[in-house]
Amino acid sequence: MEVPPLEVQIKTLPLSPGVYLYFDKTDRLLYVGKAKKLKKRVSSYFTKSHDSYRIRTMVKKIARIEHIVVQTETDALLLENSLIKSRSPKYNIMLRDDKTYPWLCIKNERFPRIFLTRKMIKDGSEYYGPYTSVRTVRTLLELVKSLYPIRTCKYDLQEEKIQAGKYKLCLEYHIGNCKGPCVGLQNEAAYNRNIEAIRNIVKGDFKDAVNHFHNSMKEHAENMEFEDAQRIKDKLDILTRYQTKSTVVNPNISNVDIFTIVSDEAAGYVNYIQINHGSITRSHTMELKKQLDETDKELLELAIVELRTRFDSQSTEVYTQFPVDLGDLIKVTVPKLGDKKRVVELSERNAKFFRQEQFKTIKIVDPDRHVNRLMAQMKADLRLDEEPRHMECFDNSNIQGTNPVAACVVFKNGKPSKSDYRHFNIKTVDGPDDFASMEEVVYRRYRRLLEEDEPLPQLVIVDGGKGQLSSGVTALERLGLRGKVPIIGIAKRLEELFYPNDPVPLYLDKRSETLKVIQQMRNEAHRFGINHHRNKRSKQAIETELDGIPGIGEKTTVELLRHFRSVKRVKEATKQELESVVGTSRAQKIIDFYSEEE
């Protein structure tokens, strides 16, 4: 696939948190960075002048940009760390050492210890994190130890060793930080209950702990111990910002490949995420053109073989959205919930973003191709005989039957053609009758087009359900256009599309481009009609009895009201006062009008 110019790549980036990767023209990885808003951050490299020679040199070499979209800025920070360590980009200086983010470990042993670590050992211990702040881990440790006394010694507390009296009580017991399980003063069941409570806190359920801190803070404040109260408040703030779950780094998932697919009529978009030792080390998305209406399953199987070969994957397990056949040597898992499901959703999200970016790129680079594809899709989705290059949409507006108006908006090649928009004042209908109003405006619109020998649309859309559609069909029938001009109705509640003489509505996928164009037309017709309706109401609202005076126009009325502030003052004004504003002739007309009235 041909790489679009850099400015196009930047324009199609999302405004989501994620990680960006810069490549040179030989496809060598230059740099990995994180961003809260990808598009904004990446754009800054090409719009700012950089003081650093290293950055200036790197920017000149950038030929291609990849990105991985994640849920949060914290996930972006963790993913940046794992990608830099696994792929060693040339221009990254920070994070290239072997130092990792800290974890909280609950050791797999009798009377488990809880401590901070930067290394994961596969011995059955539980690891929570990773955390982007050591201060957060220390606060959590301090919290759990203040609530539940646990041991810090490294003794092997087997039952026979305790019974043999091999250990003695230490200072931690005497100052109240430990209950002495090493000498049998605390039994294993009671200790494990504390560990279970601590496990819940680490997972994020620390409502009781927060209440404990709140009470302690108030107590210090009441005793005028404000420094102690502030220290507790700082801990509360850290706990409030605390997050335990990371999608991009997870010790429960190790050495697997994740593949997901998003497709449309023309192609499938497959995202591949590689996880090694619990961290994402690669993400790549590819486009597969459909040749013979292949299913998503067939495309995904092809892509998995291609991508695993290209990136030399040795993983023996694959996560996907649905079952696929990869032979007996590779285990295929379709996660239903939990961490594994979340990482599959992350992959699917990246595939969706890639598809959107492809469409945006085509719009910029080859707008005709985009229009042709959209028109072909709308023709297929709406079961039309020809592509709807010219579409029109009608909408009625009134408030309890007052000032009824209608609007017609015109789209050509899927885009608004505002010079062709038309307003209608309802002339033949009394009261709030949407059906009769729709029939009138559709009839007037196409009678005019026929009289002026103008081209008719390939699709007419009416805003409303079966009733409005029936009225539109009646209008076309009166003009002899029934069957010559396709017409459909769209109902607001469930976005149903109605066809003449078909009781079953058509439901399009909510993400369908066809439905989005129809919704845009409906919304545009509503906006255009509402604006006209408001203008008409406003004009009627400011009409006064001055408009009924012969020889007094709108401009004179405005001048009078601006000067005298009310109709009553105009009526009470002397001839001299009126002459000073509107002249002798018009002043006399106003005097004569009110004299006759009296």
Side-chain angles (χ1 to χ4, degrees):
M1 188 170 59
E2 188 179 340
V3 178
L6 269 178
E7 58 268 21
V8 175
Q9 294 183 54
I10 294 166
K11 282 180 183 176
T12 59
L13 287 171
L15 280 168
S16 304
V19 171
Y20 54 90
L21 300 89
Y22 292 151
F23 295 84
D24 64 13
K25 60 185 178 183
T26 64
D27 232 25
R28 181 178 58 164
L29 181 60
L30 298 173
Y31 186 80
V32 173
K34 66 165 180 66
K36 190 174 182 180
K37 294 182 179 178
L38 280 167
K39 187 174 185 177
K40 192 173 179 181
R41 181 72 186 101
V42 172
S43 300
S44 69
Y45 278 92
F46 301 92
T47 54
K48 293 179 181 177
S49 57
H50 301 283
D51 296 330
S52 166
Y53 174 77
R54 179 178 63 90
I55 298 296
R56 285 202 307 273
T57 307
M58 180 192 75
V59 169
K60 287 177 185 176
K61 292 182 179 180
I62 297 170
R64 184 168 67 84
I65 303 167
E66 277 190 13
H67 67 272
I68 307 170
V69 175
V70 294
Q71 293 281 3
T72 65
E73 195 178 2
T74 302
D75 272 355
L77 189 67
L78 297 169
L79 180 55
E80 177 197 34
N81 177 59
S82 61
L83 287 174
I84 290 171
K85 284 181 170 54
S86 64
R87 302 180 65 177
S88 300
K90 180 179 179 181
Y91 287 94
N92 281 100
I93 295 174
M94 306 291 287
L95 305 177
R96 287 180 71 166
D97 55 21
D98 61 352
K99 186 178 177 183
T100 63
Y101 285 111
W103 299 79
L104 200 63
C105 175
I106 300 180
K107 192 69 175 172
N108 179 27
E109 60 189 358
R110 198 161 181 261
F111 298 99
R113 288 170 293 141
I114 298 174
F115 53 88
L116 180 154
T117 183
R118 291 183 184 271
K119 290 183 180 179
M120 282 196 298
I121 302 169
K122 297 289 183 179
D123 61 354
S125 299
E126 298 174 52
Y127 291 90
Y128 295 91
Y131 301 93
T132 54
S133 165
V134 173
R135 191 179 174 201
T136 301
V137 188
R138 295 197 195 286
T139 301
L140 270 173
L141 276 172
E142 194 179 331
L143 164 65
V144 297
K145 288 179 178 179
S146 67
L147 295 175
Y148 305 101
I150 52 175
R151 72 181 182 114
T152 56
C153 61
K154 296 182 180 180
Y155 296 147
D156 179 13
L157 299 186
Q158 295 301 319
E159 181 65 30
E160 59 272 16
K161 293 183 180 180
I162 295 173
Q163 294 295 335
K166 291 193 71 174
Y167 309 116
K168 293 182 179 180
L169 292 171
C170 65
L171 180 62
E172 288 290 299
Y173 171 79
H174 293 295
I175 63 176
N177 290 340
C178 177
K179 291 194 174 180
C182 59
V183 295
L185 294 179
Q186 185 180 26
N187 63 46
E188 190 176 2
Y191 191 95
N192 286 339
R193 279 197 296 272
N194 286 349
I195 293 296
E196 185 58 37
I198 291 169
R199 190 178 283 118
N200 289 334
I201 289 174
V202 173
K203 286 179 179 178
D205 182 12
F206 39 69
K207 190 193 302 180
D208 293 339
V210 169
N211 289 336
H212 168 78
F213 272 155
H214 268 299
N215 294 334
S216 180
M217 183 173 66
K218 285 179 183 175
E219 190 177 324
H220 282 302
E222 286 168 2
N223 294 332
M224 310 291 281
E225 297 164 345
F226 298 117
E227 289 183 5
D228 292 330
Q230 182 61 42
R231 275 195 291 273
I232 292 174
K233 184 178 183 300
D234 292 342
K235 291 177 186 176
L236 272 172
D237 290 340
I238 290 172
L239 285 177
T240 306
R241 296 191 299 269
Y242 170 68
Q243 284 184 316
T244 58
K245 284 293 179 186
S246 168
T247 307
V248 302
V249 183
N250 196 312
N252 298 324
I253 304 171
S254 182
N255 302 335
V256 297
D257 291 340
I258 295 98
F259 292 93
T260 56
I261 185 169
V262 172
S263 66
D264 53 34
E265 292 76 9
Y269 306 88
V270 177
N271 176 260
Y272 165 46
I273 287 179
Q274 188 177 43
I275 296 184
N276 287 317
H277 305 295
S279 300
I280 293 176
T281 56
R282 187 182 301 279
S283 176
H284 181 80
T285 310
M286 68 183 293
E287 179 182 358
L288 291 171
K289 299 287 186 187
K290 289 185 178 178
Q291 307 295 332
L292 300 167
D293 293 328
E294 294 93 340
T295 63
D296 283 359
K297 182 175 181 291
E298 291 169 332
L299 288 174
L300 189 57
E301 287 172 351
L302 282 170
I304 290 174
V305 173
E306 157 72 19
L307 290 167
R308 280 175 63 87
T309 304
R310 186 191 303 183
F311 295 110
D312 191 27
S313 171
Q314 303 299 317
S315 301
T316 56
E317 186 174 8
V318 165
Y319 296 167
T320 60
Q321 303 145 294
F322 45 78
V324 290
D325 185 12
L326 300 176
D328 298 330
L329 298 178
I330 300 173
K331 179 184 176 184
V332 177
T333 303
V334 182
K336 299 297 181 187
L337 45 82
D339 298 337
K340 295 177 182 179
K341 176 68 172 172
R342 274 193 290 275
V343 79
V344 169
E345 287 170 350
L346 175 67
S347 172
E348 191 174 1
R349 192 159 178 250
N350 277 277
K352 288 175 182 174
F353 271 103
F354 182 82
R355 177 175 177 264
Q356 290 171 6
E357 284 144 27
Q358 294 301 100
F359 289 164
K360 289 177 187 174
T361 302
I362 292 169
K363 271 186 182 180
I364 297 168
V365 176
D366 190 356
D368 290 339
R369 181 183 160 198
H370 167 71
V371 169
N372 293 338
R373 184 189 57 77
L374 177 61
M375 291 297 105
Q377 186 175 330
M378 291 192 74
K379 177 187 173 184
D381 287 348
L382 299 174
R383 306 178 301 206
L384 302 173
D385 295 330
E386 58 181 325
E387 292 179 353
R389 297 275 173 171
H390 175 182
M391 296 179 285
E392 299 189 354
C393 182
F394 294 87
D395 183 36
N396 294 324
S397 297
N398 68 76
I399 292 182
Q400 296 179 343
T402 64
N403 305 112
V405 296
C408 169
V409 299
V410 180
F411 272 45
K412 292 183 177 176
N413 290 325
K415 293 181 180 178
S417 178
K418 296 197 175 185
S419 60
D420 295 313
Y421 285 14
R422 294 292 180 269
H423 283 136
F424 295 89
N425 292 318
I426 304 301
K427 297 177 179 178
T428 63
V429 181
D430 293 324
D433 189 338
D434 271 356
F435 302 152
S437 299
M438 185 63 73
E439 183 179 343
E440 179 189 325
V441 295
V442 172
Y443 178 82
R444 284 168 55 190
R445 169 66 175 167
Y446 297 117
R447 184 187 65 185
R448 179 79 175 262
L449 290 185
L450 289 170
E451 287 172 354
E452 296 178 357
D453 200 24
E454 293 288 330
L456 295 169
Q458 282 96 28
L459 179 65
V460 176
I461 302 167
V462 296
D463 181 17
K466 294 179 183 177
Q468 284 87 344
L469 176 62
S470 178
S471 299
V473 170
T474 303
L476 294 179
E477 205 160 19
R478 287 168 57 194
L479 293 166
L481 297 176
R482 175 77 184 273
K484 296 179 182 177
V485 177
I487 183 169
I488 62 173
I490 178 169
K492 284 188 181 74
R493 191 169 65 88
L494 296 173
E495 306 294 42
E496 305 156 307
L497 299 179
F498 289 96
Y499 286 76
N501 302 323
D502 189 347
V504 180
L506 172 68
Y507 294 95
L508 292 177
D509 189 310
K510 293 289 183 282
R511 298 164 295 182
S512 158
E513 284 188 283
T514 299
L515 182 60
K516 285 179 180 174
V517 171
I518 292 173
Q519 288 171 329
Q520 185 187 358
M521 290 185 70
R522 188 264 314 278
N523 296 341
E524 186 71 352
H526 186 67
R527 178 197 65 77
F528 192 59
I530 284 289
N531 285 347
H532 179 51
H533 185 250
R534 284 175 181 156
N535 291 339
K536 192 173 178 185
R537 282 199 346 254
S538 299
K539 189 175 178 182
Q540 187 184 58
I542 64 170
E543 284 179 353
T544 68
E545 62 184 36
L546 297 176
D547 296 309
I549 302 175
I552 300 299
E554 184 181 342
K555 192 173 179 182
T556 306
T557 300
V558 171
E559 285 180 12
L560 288 166
L561 290 174
R562 187 175 289 153
H563 183 82
F564 291 103
R565 301 294 180 186
S566 71
V567 174
K568 184 180 178 184
R569 288 183 180 176
V570 173
K571 189 174 181 179
E572 293 171 350
T574 63
K575 186 177 180 182
Q576 288 79 9
E577 289 172 332
L578 292 169
E579 283 177 351
S580 66
V581 179
V582 297
T584 306
S585 174
R586 280 175 289 188
Q588 189 58 53
K589 288 176 182 177
I590 296 167
I591 296 292
D592 292 344
F593 176 79
Y594 284 117
S595 298
E596 288 173 12
E597 213 178 48
E598 289 171 4

